[in-house]
Amino acid sequence: MEIDEKILSKLIEADDIKCSLYLDGKEYRLEQTRVAKSSIPVRKPTTRGGVYFSDTTAYKIKATTNDLSLIPLISKVMLGPNTDFKPLEIKTNLNIDGKSRNIILTTHLTNTMNSVTKLELHFIVDKTKLE
């Protein structure tokens, strides 16, 4: 896994992150995006949904969107009981060392909750890429 802890630390500190999720060539605006580092309940190296976990901590993203057209697509990409999931890209922009830089986060969707007006998405970060 290629995770840049410096980038993710800056994202954790950021107050209002403007992000977009890209799925099947379409952009979905994410709101109320929060990045956090948390422990995961893994005592030994394991796989979940074909993804290998060896760390006991992970970077997670929680975000919401008002675009409910995502709901039928979720079952095709969510990690868990579905064995045919796929990685998702989340793009954002961040000021690093005085320069505005584009950041691409490769993630996997782990959980969702939806209401009549919004969809809450939970991701785990697998890779970071700075452009």
Side-chain angles (χ1 to χ4, degrees):
M1 288 191 206
E2 306 155 17
I3 291 182
D4 187 328
E5 301 234 1
K6 179 181 174 185
I7 292 171
L8 289 167
S9 293
K10 288 196 176 285
L11 288 171
I12 289 170
E13 295 168 6
D15 285 336
D16 186 23
I17 308 168
K18 305 283 188 232
C19 294
S20 293
L21 169 67
Y22 291 85
L23 176 59
D24 292 338
K26 187 173 177 197
E27 177 181 1
Y28 299 90
R29 288 283 190 202
L30 299 179
E31 301 168 1
Q32 301 171 349
T33 305
R34 296 275 182 245
V35 179
K37 184 176 183 179
S38 63
S39 60
I40 53 175
V42 174
R43 293 188 182 92
K44 61 183 182 176
T46 186
T47 59
R48 179 176 175 206
V51 175
Y52 183 76
F53 290 101
S54 61
D55 297 329
T56 56
T57 59
Y59 288 94
K60 297 179 180 182
I61 299 172
K62 178 180 172 182
T64 61
T65 183
N66 295 326
D67 191 340
L68 301 180
S69 68
L70 258 172
I71 293 172
L73 303 174
I74 288 172
S75 63
K76 298 175 188 172
V77 297
M78 190 157 82
L79 185 62
N82 180 10
T83 57
D84 192 27
F85 65 92
K86 65 179 182 178
L88 301 170
E89 284 190 346
I90 295 176
K91 296 182 181 180
T92 188
N93 193 284
L94 189 64
N95 191 344
I96 298 176
D97 299 327
K99 290 183 177 180
S100 182
R101 304 287 301 267
N102 291 323
I103 298 168
I104 300 172
L105 303 171
T106 303
T107 66
H108 280 92
L109 184 63
T110 59
N111 188 28
T112 64
M113 291 184 283
N114 61 301
S115 69
V116 177
T117 59
K118 70 179 181 176
L119 179 62
E120 185 177 288
L121 305 161
H122 298 257
F123 304 90
I124 190 162
V125 178
D126 296 325
K127 295 179 187 174
T128 56
K129 182 179 175 184
L130 195 60
E131 290 188 324

